[in-house]
Amino acid sequence: VTINTDAKSSIYVDEEYKGVGTWQGRLSEGTHFVEARKKSHENSSKNINLVLGKSETINIKAPKPIYGFLDVNSEPMSANIYLNGVKYGQTPNVISDLLIGDYELKLEIEGCPILKKNITIKKGETLYVNETLETGKSIKLKTNLPGDRAYVDGEYVGLMPVNINLTYGTHEVRVKRGEQTTSKTIEITTYGDSE
């Protein structure tokens, strides 16, 4: 007997695995249960009746995909959406015809740390995901003398020491003491000190 199905589907005969896509071999006379299986798909099957000494070619329909939906929103908007490493546009977005199963969802936008979470898509259901991405952190700027004037990215932020919220990334900090000015470039990251 020769059994053909979708190139990526597994072939089972009487619950015994035989191969992927196509299988050729000998089966005993009588009725057999033939099945094509594929992850996140409905199995496709048929009963066959074999006659002794007669060659048969059996074609099994490809398993039908089982879909769910994902509705993704983020603050800030326009974050790139990745599911198991594949890009699916930007937020906000409704992704339809998504095969059921487990995925790693990744949201990525410049100026924010990458957000990763595991999700499960279920048959015929919409999974709603609404995430707020971190855009920065609170830091304390200080010098060895209080009262120095502090500027960040050219804007006056107060007298030292000063607490300020800064977005992730690179910033230019300038300090004025009388007629003297000194500056330093700082990098705000998700790790490390906040002073």
Side-chain angles (χ1 to χ4, degrees):
V1 66
T2 301
I3 301 171
N4 298 308
T5 188
D6 168 66
K8 293 184 179 176
S9 296
S10 298
I11 296 170
Y12 286 79
V13 177
D14 300 327
E15 298 296 326
E16 184 183 329
Y17 174 75
K18 295 294 185 181
V20 176
T22 298
W23 177 77
Q24 197 169 32
R26 297 178 72 77
L27 293 174
S28 61
E29 181 180 28
T31 302
H32 295 275
F33 182 65
V34 183
E35 201 172 21
R37 300 179 187 174
K38 192 175 186 181
K39 185 179 178 189
S40 303
H41 289 63
E42 287 180 13
N43 296 342
S44 182
S45 62
K46 62 166 63 172
N47 284 310
I48 57 170
N49 193 20
L50 299 179
V51 177
L52 186 65
K54 186 178 175 193
S55 293
E56 292 271 354
T57 297
I58 313 297
N59 294 313
I60 307 174
K61 289 181 184 172
K64 287 168 85 175
I66 306 171
Y67 294 120
F69 307 89
L70 177 63
D71 186 338
V72 191
N73 287 289
S74 71
E75 182 59 46
M77 293 192 305
S78 301
N80 291 319
I81 303 165
Y82 294 91
L83 293 169
N84 293 348
V86 178
K87 189 173 179 183
Y88 282 84
Q90 294 182 325
T91 60
N93 194 0
V94 176
I95 302 164
S96 56
D97 294 344
L98 194 57
L99 285 175
I100 62 167
D102 296 327
Y103 292 86
E104 181 191 66
L105 169 66
K106 185 169 77 169
L107 298 177
E108 193 175 63
I109 190 168
E110 192 173 333
C112 298
I114 295 170
L115 183 137
K116 289 182 183 178
K117 71 184 295 179
N118 293 321
I119 61 169
T120 300
I121 301 299
K122 296 180 180 172
K123 180 179 181 177
E125 294 181 15
T126 300
L127 176 65
Y128 295 92
V129 175
N130 194 358
E131 295 291 338
T132 299
L133 305 175
E134 287 182 53
T135 55
K137 67 164 66 165
S138 179
I139 67 161
K140 184 177 186 179
L141 297 174
K142 60 185 179 180
T143 56
N144 59 355
L145 284 177
D148 291 338
R149 295 174 62 81
Y151 298 82
V152 175
D153 299 329
E155 290 188 30
Y156 176 71
V157 294
L159 298 175
M160 293 291 195
V162 64
N163 290 314
I164 185 171
N165 286 317
L166 290 179
T167 58
Y168 291 109
T170 304
H171 298 277
E172 183 72 27
V173 177
R174 194 164 39 94
V175 177
K176 282 183 106 173
R177 181 182 296 165
E179 296 300 313
Q180 292 182 322
T181 300
T182 185
S183 63
K184 180 179 183 179
T185 300
I186 61 170
E187 180 78 21
I188 305 298
T189 65
T190 52
Y191 314 102
D193 213 338
S194 59
E195 287 193 357

